[in-house]
Amino acid sequence: MIIFSGGTGTPKLLDGLKEILPQEELTVVVNTAEDLWVSGNMICPDLDTVLYLFSDKIDRKKWWGIEDDTFLTNEHMQELGVTESMKLGDCDRATHIIRSNFIRDGVSLSDATLKLASIFGINAKILPMSDDPVSTYIETPEGTMHFQDFWIGKHGEPEVLGIDIRGVSEASISPKVLEALENDNDILIGPSNPITSIGPIISLPGMKDIIQNKKVVAVSPIIGNTPVSGPAGKLMQASGLEVSSLGVAEYYQDFLNVFVFDERDQADEFAFEKLGCHASRADTLMTSTEKSKELAEIVVGLFDTIVCP
């Protein structure tokens, strides 16, 4: 199975998937459009969240970073008058240093990620969507800013006027992702932000054409008109989409077979059928590993209901 992943939402589903499927059967294609360099090191927030999840290092209270990490380096830098754009933990920073050294030695981001996964003892295949640089910028009344400056620096508060995923039209799908897509027909789009987490992955040239011929199941990151977490609502609205599960399904309709939305959601199942996909209700609010496992079991079972195009 291939899973398209962003930050918080999809890793929670991965937490359940790794309980019911061997890691060797999972390939996670991760958004890299939120990556940036901080203090001389390459930070890949979504990749790192997935790496920390599979290596059981993740801070489950925040769903990012490493549990019980310290911030001595960051604090000492502030004492010296240097403020970083992201507050990096000490153990987390070690990951960035190792990755950046690989890249400075000429290793691709895909190979650097596989090397890190091996160091962490991970058997799942974790891959960046592309080895080429892609960056998401948010247009606001305060100016255009990198997604991390919008979400971390400004706490997602400015009005969103537009989204610019720079470099995506020139980027190529990672060769290792292409290889995985050639060998697997099951694509799961996790409950991550559809615009800035999944959007860059499916916007890579050729990606939509490839997955149109696959079995595609997507899980909604929205219940009713409210995102479970993150700024998906503002970003969907700025993209001209209804802030709802139906809006997410509409965004994926070109290649979507089955859409999973929350059992508390009041959306009409027939509305999804009009988009050309089947709809399935489930408890998508993953408040524990057991809840994640229950949802994962439902999602995996849905692939058996799809006749491959």
Side-chain angles (χ1 to χ4, degrees):
M1 178 182 293
I2 298 174
I3 304 98
F4 288 0
S5 179
T8 306
T10 304
K12 287 184 177 180
L13 183 54
L14 290 169
D15 193 33
L17 285 169
K18 68 184 180 66
E19 293 295 313
I20 64 172
L21 295 174
Q23 284 196 25
E24 293 82 359
E25 294 182 13
L26 301 175
T27 298
V28 190
V29 177
V30 187
N31 170 46
T32 59
E34 296 172 18
D35 297 1
L36 74 168
W37 289 80
V38 176
S39 299
N41 293 304
M42 188 177 187
I43 316 300
C44 302
D46 292 354
L47 276 170
D48 290 337
T49 297
V50 175
L51 287 168
Y52 297 154
L53 169 72
F54 276 99
S55 58
D56 294 323
K57 296 178 181 292
I58 196 165
D59 185 333
R60 289 176 177 270
K61 293 178 182 177
K62 299 182 295 187
W63 276 94
W64 56 267
I66 293 176
E67 186 176 17
D68 297 326
D69 207 351
T70 55
F71 294 85
L72 296 176
T73 301
N74 180 269
E75 291 165 3
H76 190 54
M77 289 178 71
Q78 290 190 53
E79 291 173 6
L80 296 175
V82 177
T83 301
E84 295 182 301
S85 58
M86 300 177 74
K87 185 177 180 180
L88 303 175
D90 298 317
C91 294
D92 185 31
R93 192 185 298 269
T95 301
H96 309 319
I97 292 171
I98 293 168
R99 173 193 295 117
S100 302
N101 285 338
F102 283 143
I103 290 173
R104 279 188 278 265
D105 288 340
V107 174
S108 69
L109 180 58
S110 292
D111 285 332
T113 305
L114 290 173
K115 285 175 179 286
L116 280 169
S118 178
I119 290 169
F120 289 149
I122 298 170
N123 293 320
K125 186 174 287 185
I126 300 168
L127 300 171
M129 66 183 198
S130 177
D131 291 324
D132 301 317
V134 179
S135 299
T136 297
Y137 281 81
I138 308 299
E139 299 168 12
T140 78
E142 300 177 25
T144 300
M145 60 190 75
H146 191 279
F147 178 84
Q148 297 299 344
D149 294 325
F150 166 77
W151 183 234
I152 296 177
K154 298 289 185 178
H155 310 292
E157 294 174 356
E159 178 187 357
V160 178
L161 303 177
I163 299 97
D164 181 13
I165 305 176
R166 297 181 184 176
V168 71
S169 59
E170 294 81 37
S172 299
I173 302 170
S174 160
K176 287 184 170 56
V177 171
L178 282 174
E179 181 182 353
L181 289 166
E182 288 175 2
N183 296 314
D184 202 322
N185 281 324
D186 294 350
I187 309 293
L188 171 58
I189 298 178
S192 293
N193 186 320
I195 306 301
T196 55
S197 292
I198 305 300
I201 302 174
I202 62 176
S203 296
L204 288 166
M207 182 63 84
K208 289 183 181 179
D209 291 336
I210 294 172
I211 63 177
Q212 277 178 347
N213 299 311
K214 304 289 186 180
K215 297 180 180 182
V216 181
V217 175
V219 180
S220 179
I222 291 179
I223 300 176
N225 301 107
T226 306
V228 175
S229 64
K234 278 187 174 183
L235 299 168
M236 288 180 69
Q237 194 169 34
S239 300
L241 292 170
E242 177 181 289
V243 183
S244 66
S245 289
L246 189 61
V248 178
E250 181 182 350
Y251 189 60
Y252 298 150
Q253 65 179 315
D254 290 344
F255 47 79
L256 184 61
N257 297 120
V258 181
F259 189 72
V260 181
F261 67 111
D262 193 79
E263 60 189 12
R264 288 161 285 245
D265 202 306
Q266 299 300 310
D268 184 352
E269 292 184 27
F270 292 107
F272 295 101
E273 300 286 343
K274 291 178 182 178
L275 294 176
C277 66
H278 295 291
S280 179
R281 289 185 182 272
D283 184 356
T284 64
L285 197 58
M286 294 171 283
T287 54
S288 67
T289 297
E290 187 58 35
K291 287 282 191 181
S292 298
K293 181 180 175 181
E294 290 172 4
L295 179 58
E297 288 173 339
I298 291 170
V299 169
V300 170
L302 289 171
F303 284 97
D304 292 332
T305 69
I306 303 170
V307 177
C308 194

